[in-house]
Structure formats: structure tokens, C-alpha cells
Amino acid sequence: MKHEAHIREQAQLARRLSDERSHLFEQVPFARELERGEPELERIARPVVAVAGAARVGKSTLKRALGTEVPWKWLEVESGGGGETGGLSVGGLAEHCLLVLTAGEAPSGEVLAWLPRLAEAFPEGSLQVVLTRCDALPEGMPAGTARERLEPVLREAVPARTLPVLTVSGSTGEGLEALRAQVAEALARRQRVLLEEALKDWSGVLADVHALLGMRELARLRPETLTRLRLGLDDLLREEGRRLEGELPRLAEESVRELEPRLPETQRALTRAFREKLGARVEPRSHALRQRLDQVLARELARDVEDKAGGKARLELADRFGRLVEPRSLFFDWGFAKRGGVAGVGAAMVTGVARKHGGWAVLGAALLGGVLAGLLGRGAKVNTAEELKRVVAEPLLEDSLRRLKEATENSRADVERLCGLLRKVAEIFSPEQARTHDVERWGQAVTEAESRREQLGRELTELQWKDARA
């Protein structure tokens, strides 16, 4: 039961992270306000496995047969939203789901209508189908036959997923040990992902607290200045996003013309070359946008903050947020931003507050840094300019436009968050409040919390390596 041991070990890390949060919030009360939402660490420590299905299909029998001494909680759910969930979505109440069906019987219409919603709620690997009462199958019908008959029905109900189907018998015990092992393995994997996300979010909170402590000089910013800053950056991002959306087709056409003399050539090589040429055309626009964002930031902050103090605070903020900058960002040059002093700091800050999506990279990695699976194509030859457009340029252009839209929206959210942090600085370090603060003690508490967070991350990595070696 190695995976059950992993669940227990990861549960200990989740509980330690919960203790870390409580400890820091006692020492630095305003840190709690920087969380985007309280992580469900107790749920991560004791994840939930839903046993779902129609009435009298054998859910309770299966739970008992799999055992109660397990490092997770059981939740019984009846199709149609009843059962122990009280009508709530099972996807919001459990980390893993076992859909229970009776072997040899066709699933009801209600269950088949429910199945797509379950597949949407539970990611790949977190939804399994279990055929019970295999000992009661007609004589001469093996469990494998019942499974084979069910699989096309499941594919029709959920075409985008291949759902694993397991066969068990509560009476004879057949298949129960294998099912419990598979549940534990999938649940340990899911728990690890959730714990990694919680640690990443906690790192973001600590970085934000550190940044706020380093921005004390910006407490003089007036509300109207921050409003003007947010609107200016937001308008700039929206304007540049629209402009590039209109330019991308022309830039793609130019890239195609440059590649035509190379025909015929393999689709894979041409796709790579097209991305490089399109990226080279986009990069100057990325650099220009960074400079314009910096200018807006510097101009607005200079209204309320002396140049020396403001410059120091902006660089401190950039250093703190710089820890979160994706090093593989295609066009963002973090080293240039630091060498250039205040120049580039605005872009660095906006980059840093992007926690999960890297939204700032409007013209960088979020746009051209990755290609949807399959777009690199095969090794087949592309012979004509029309083929080059159809099989290379058009799919990549469509993908780039989609990425541009997503990145622009994410960047605007990043701007909102940046300005929210600046408002928090003005609130926490107002003249009336600042006299009561022990900033040095707060800084020491955050530094110690960062060290302990890194230790938790190392221990989680060690568990992953141990799992891989096993």
C-alpha cells in the first residue's frame, strides 16, 4: 500500500502548511488579506473519494468492502444530485470519483446524462467506472465481456475521454485489492497536484508581503493617482492587443512569403521556421509596449512620490516580484529590466503578479511560446505556397490570435492586482498606521516563513522522487 503511505505523508505536509499560514497571520495580520482565496488544506490532507451511482447499485457494499481504515474520506452520492451531497455538485465535494454500475446491465439514461458532468468535474485519472456484482453475471459470461460491452457506451457518452473500467465482486472479493490500489495511486497523484498549487499560492502571498514591506515609500500615492494608473495601463494593454490582432495576419503573410523559396520542405521544419519568423516580427512590438508601460508607471508614480524614494521603492518591488517571472518567457528580458534601473521596472512588476497564467507576456511566451499538440505537423513535404498557408500558417495564426486574446485579458487582471497591492500599501503605511508597525519584525517573520516554505517544497520533491524510484 505504498500509495496510501504517500497520501499520509503528503497529508502531513498539508497540515504543516496550514500551521505555517496560521503562524504568519498571527505575526503579520494584513498578510491574510493578500490571499486570493483560502486553500482547502484540510481537504488536501484528507481528500474525499465519491462513490456515485444509481440507487441500490451497491455503493454502500463497495465502500465497506474497500475498507474504512483508509487515508481518505468516503462520500456516497446518488445520481441526480441526491445522497449525502444534499444536491450539491459532487465535483466540488470530492477529489476522486468512482461511478458504480452493475455488471451485465445497461446504464440508465439518467446515469448516462450525468456522466458528462462528472467527466467535466473530475480531471483525467480522477474518474473511474466500477462494475460490481461480477459474480452474478450469467453463466459463461466473463467479467471481461461485460467490460467490453460497456466501453463503447461510455465512449458515446463521453467522446473526449477514455474512462478506466474495473470489475469487482463484493461477495467474492475479486478485484477489490486492485481497485483500492488504483484509487490510492490516482488520489495520491491528485493530492500532490493540489498541494503543489497550494505551495505555489503561498509563495505568492509571501512575495506580496515582502513587496509591500519594500514599497513603504509609495504610501503617499493618492487614490486618484492609482485609479489613473490602472486605467492608463489597462487602456494601453487593450489598445495594443487590438492593434496586434489586426497586424498578425499581415505579419503571418510576410512570414509565408519569406518561406516560399524553401519549398518543398517538411511540414515540421516549415512550422518551426514560421514560428521563428513571426516571433521576430512580434518582438519589437513587445519591446515597445514594455517601454510604454514603464513610461505610464513612472509618470503616474512621480505625481505623488519623490524621484529618489519612488525609484528605490519601484526597484524593490521589481526585485520581489521578479522571483515569479518565468525565465523561459520568450521576449521578456528580466536582466535588462534590472540593469536599466527604473526603466523596465513597470513591466517587471506587471509580469510578476501573474501567478498562474503568465498574463503579462502579451507579445511573448503566452502568444508564441507554445503550439497546440499536433500543429508541428508530420514529416510530410509541403510543396506549394497554398499548402504552406493551409497546413502551417493558418493553424498557427489561429492559435496565436487565441493566445493573444487570453494573454491580454490575463494582463489586464495583472494590472488590477498590481494597483490593488499599491492601494494596500497606502492603507497599511498611512501616517496614522505606520507609527504602530514593527516593519523589521514583519520582514523577519516573512523571511523565516519563506525558508520553511522552501523546506516543504523540498520534502514534497523528495516524495516525488521516492515515488518515481519505486
Side-chain angles (χ1 to χ4, degrees), residues 162-229:
T162 299
L163 300 176
V165 180
L166 299 98
T167 55
V168 300
S169 169
S171 302
T172 66
E174 179 185 352
L176 289 173
E177 185 176 344
L179 173 59
R180 177 164 163 166
Q182 289 195 31
V183 169
E185 182 177 3
L187 195 58
R189 232 180 357 253
R190 177 71 176 147
Q191 181 193 41
R192 182 179 304 153
V193 169
L194 294 173
L195 184 54
E196 287 172 346
E197 290 177 355
L199 285 170
K200 182 179 179 181
D201 287 345
W202 182 236
S203 294
V205 172
L206 297 177
D208 284 355
V209 176
H210 243 146
L212 289 179
L213 296 178
M215 286 194 297
R216 298 191 301 279
E217 292 88 347
L218 298 182
R220 300 185 186 90
L221 291 173
R222 294 171 295 172
E224 56 266 31
T225 300
L226 290 172
T227 299
R228 194 164 45 242
L229 174 63

Side-chain angles (χ1 to χ4, degrees), residues 89-130:
S89 169
V90 62
L93 299 172
E95 283 65 51
H96 192 84
C97 182
L98 299 177
L99 177 60
V100 183
L101 304 174
T102 302
E105 295 182 10
S108 68
E110 181 183 54
V111 168
L112 290 176
W114 193 34
L115 185 55
R117 298 201 299 273
L118 289 177
E120 184 178 353
F122 291 94
E124 193 74 38
S126 296
L127 175 61
Q128 296 172 298
V129 177
V130 181

Side-chain angles (χ1 to χ4, degrees), residues 4 150 152 167 300 320 325 332 442:
E4 293 186 23
L150 176 65
T167 55
E300 295 301 333
R320 296 301 183 193
V325 174
F332 180 75
W442 282 356

Side-chain angles (χ1 to χ4, degrees), residues 190-344:
R190 177 71 176 147
Q191 181 193 41
R192 182 179 304 153
V193 169
L194 294 173
L195 184 54
E196 287 172 346
E197 290 177 355
L199 285 170
K200 182 179 179 181
D201 287 345
W202 182 236
S203 294
V205 172
L206 297 177
D208 284 355
V209 176
H210 243 146
L212 289 179
L213 296 178
M215 286 194 297
R216 298 191 301 279
E217 292 88 347
L218 298 182
R220 300 185 186 90
L221 291 173
R222 294 171 295 172
E224 56 266 31
T225 300
L226 290 172
T227 299
R228 194 164 45 242
L229 174 63
R230 180 183 63 79
L231 291 175
L233 293 174
D234 187 75
D235 287 346
L236 182 54
L237 285 166
R238 188 163 41 191
E239 171 194 331
E240 289 299 312
R242 283 198 299 261
R243 189 170 68 84
L244 184 59
E245 184 179 3
E247 286 188 359
L248 270 174
R250 178 179 59 80
L251 299 177
E253 186 67 31
E254 291 176 2
S255 301
V256 167
R257 282 200 298 270
E258 287 188 13
L259 288 173
E260 282 186 41
R262 292 174 49 170
L263 297 175
E265 194 168 339
T266 65
Q267 181 182 345
R268 185 175 292 110
L270 289 169
T271 300
R272 189 176 297 111
F274 179 86
R275 288 179 59 206
E276 291 172 356
K277 290 184 179 299
L278 186 59
R281 285 175 165 80
V282 168
E283 195 278 337
R285 292 158 175 79
S286 172
H287 182 71
L289 176 56
R290 286 202 301 272
Q291 289 183 323
R292 293 181 66 188
L293 286 166
D294 296 338
Q295 290 166 2
V296 172
L297 180 74
R299 182 183 69 238
E300 295 301 333
L301 297 191
R303 296 175 187 269
D304 298 339
V305 183
E306 295 179 7
D307 183 63
K308 184 177 179 180
K312 178 183 176 183
R314 290 195 294 271
L315 285 173
E316 174 71 13
L317 177 59
D319 282 338
R320 296 301 183 193
F321 278 141
R323 301 175 186 183
L324 302 178
V325 174
E326 290 284 347
R328 60 181 177 273
S329 182
L330 190 58
F331 298 133
F332 180 75
D333 185 352
W334 172 240
F336 172 80
K338 294 188 71 174
R339 290 193 302 274
V342 174

Side-chain angles (χ1 to χ4, degrees), residues 20 23-24 27-28 30 206 209-210 213-214 216 320 438-452:
E20 284 297 322
H23 182 63
L24 182 71
Q27 296 179 292
V28 188
F30 72 82
L206 297 177
V209 176
H210 243 146
L213 296 178
R216 298 191 301 279
R320 296 301 183 193
D438 187 344
V439 176
E440 184 176 348
R441 182 176 63 83
W442 282 356
Q444 182 179 355
V446 177
T447 299
E448 292 172 354
E450 286 178 325
S451 176
R452 290 192 292 268

